[in-house]
């Protein structure tokens, strides 16, 4: 019986690899079956190796860096159950916001460090006109091949067009796991924004997040297929970091093996549709299992109660990411906008 199950896993992994290399998207039942593999098992190692092969075929072993700059450190009334900025949790003692000059300096540094995506992240109600004015100033002051990405509130097609005009290339947006349960958002509102993005020239970056021990395989598969359905060019997975003082802060952190497994499955599911697969927080294991995008963060951090930091959060900086990618057989590069 055990032998038969092992054989099935081999067949499932081979099927998933072929599907990715043929340019197909895996179906939900297949995704769930792969998510059922024990992340600490030898079979999961085979799953990861298959995903890494697909990463070579799809991304040509090119890796990329993503830098998220949290602009505003202020209590957010949306009170997502995992976010340190939620107003009701009382963790933000003193509001602050990075100045335009500080942000431009941070962008210059990241561009010099070969970061591909510069993400300007805000709390939900940060004014879009202010964000667009900031993007214009960044473009005026910092040249280079980098892409500007906004991670802000909900918007419509008209705002999408204005964001392009201001200098944004991409948007980070997603229907988060347990949206409407662990958040106050109506998932339909998040989907409306995804639709506005898909009808604009903005490229979509959309991860399965924030993954915790509480999520079922069905929920994870659904979130991944939503990202692919709306045309994400970068997908992958981000773990929920337990922040003490938030409602989900007492749940344990996801094991890095489980996050790497989910990332491997996003690689096998997305195939050529989303050539870049991101993991946050990064691990060498996730890179070995198919992730080719790593995130560094500074400014206001929603997954920590510590800070509004001018240095890279948790000590994970572009140099560390590059060293890990090199160990795992990737070259860190830049692509055209
Ligand atoms: S995750 Fe975003 S919307 Fe939710 S509380 Fe934090 S800043 Fe607000």
């Amino acid at each position: 019986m055990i032998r038969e199950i092992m054989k099935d896993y081999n067949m499932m992994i081979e099927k998933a690899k072929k599907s990715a290399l043929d340019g197909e998207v895996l179906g939900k039942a297949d995704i769930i079956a792969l998510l059922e593999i024990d992340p600490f098992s030898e079979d999961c190692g085979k799953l990861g190796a298959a995903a890494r092969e697909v990463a070579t075929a799809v991304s040509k072993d090119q890796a990329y860096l993503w830098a998220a700059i949290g602009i505003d450190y202020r209590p957010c009334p949306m009170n997502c159950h995992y976010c340190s900025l939620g107003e009701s949790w009382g963790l933000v003692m003193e509001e602050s916001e990075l100045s335009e000059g500080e942000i431009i300096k941070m962008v210059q540094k990241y561009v010099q460090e070969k970061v591909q995506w510069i993400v300007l992240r805000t709390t939900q109600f940060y004014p879009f006109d202010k964000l667009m004015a900031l993007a214009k100033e960044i473009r005026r002051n910092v040249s280079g091949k980098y892409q500007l990405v906004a991670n802000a509130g909900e918007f419509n097609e008209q705002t999408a067009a204005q964001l392009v005009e201001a200098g944004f290339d991409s948007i980070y947006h997603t229907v988060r796991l347990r949206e409407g349960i662990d958040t106050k958002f109506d998932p339909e509102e998040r989907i409306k924004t995804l639709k506005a993005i898909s009808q604009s020239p903005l490229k979509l970056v959309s991860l399965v997040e924030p993954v915790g021990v509480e999520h079922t395989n069905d929920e994870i598969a659904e979130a991944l297929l939503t990202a692919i359905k709306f045309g994400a060019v970068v997908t992958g997975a981000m773990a929920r970091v337990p922040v003490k003082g938030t409602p989900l802060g007492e749940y344990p952190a996801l094991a890095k093996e489980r996050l790497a497994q989910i990332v491997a499955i996003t690689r096998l599911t997305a195939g050529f549709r989303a050539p870049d697969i991101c993991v946050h927080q990064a691990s060498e294991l996730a890179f070995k299992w198919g992730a080719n995008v790593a995130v560094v963060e500074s400014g206001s951090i929603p997954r920590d109660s510590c800070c509004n930091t001018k240095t890279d959060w948790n000590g994970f900086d572009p140099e560390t990411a590059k060293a890990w990618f090199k160990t795992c057989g990737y070259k860190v590069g830049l692509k055209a906008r």
Side-chain angles (χ1 to χ4, degrees), residues 318-334:
E319 288 317 306
T320 309
K322 283 180 206 166
W324 289 8
F325 274 127
K326 195 173 170 199
T327 305
C328 300
Y330 295 92
K331 298 175 291 295
V332 174
L334 288 173

Side-chain angles (χ1 to χ4, degrees), residues 76-80 82-86 122-124 176 185 302:
C76 175
M78 293 313 286
N79 290 321
C80 299
Y82 36 76
C83 178
S84 62
L85 305 177
T122 71
T123 55
Q124 184 67 13
R176 293 158 308 174
F185 290 81

Side-chain angles (χ1 to χ4, degrees), residues 118-176:
I118 307 281
V119 184
L120 305 181
R121 183 178 60 213
T122 71
T123 55
Q124 184 67 13
F125 300 107
Y126 192 88
F128 273 103
D129 54 352
K130 213 169 153 188
L131 190 61
M132 292 191 253
L134 177 61
K136 285 181 187 164
E137 276 312 294
I138 292 172
R139 286 290 185 209
R140 215 167 57 77
N141 284 281
V142 191
S143 57
K145 285 207 278 184
Y146 65 96
Q147 291 194 26
L148 262 190
V149 186
N151 179 358
E154 310 312 308
F155 58 88
N156 59 19
E157 284 169 46
Q158 193 187 345
T159 305
Q162 289 168 342
L163 287 164
V164 175
E165 181 69 27
F168 284 106
D169 303 280
S170 305
I171 292 290
Y172 181 82
H173 208 77
T174 187
V175 179
R176 293 158 308 174

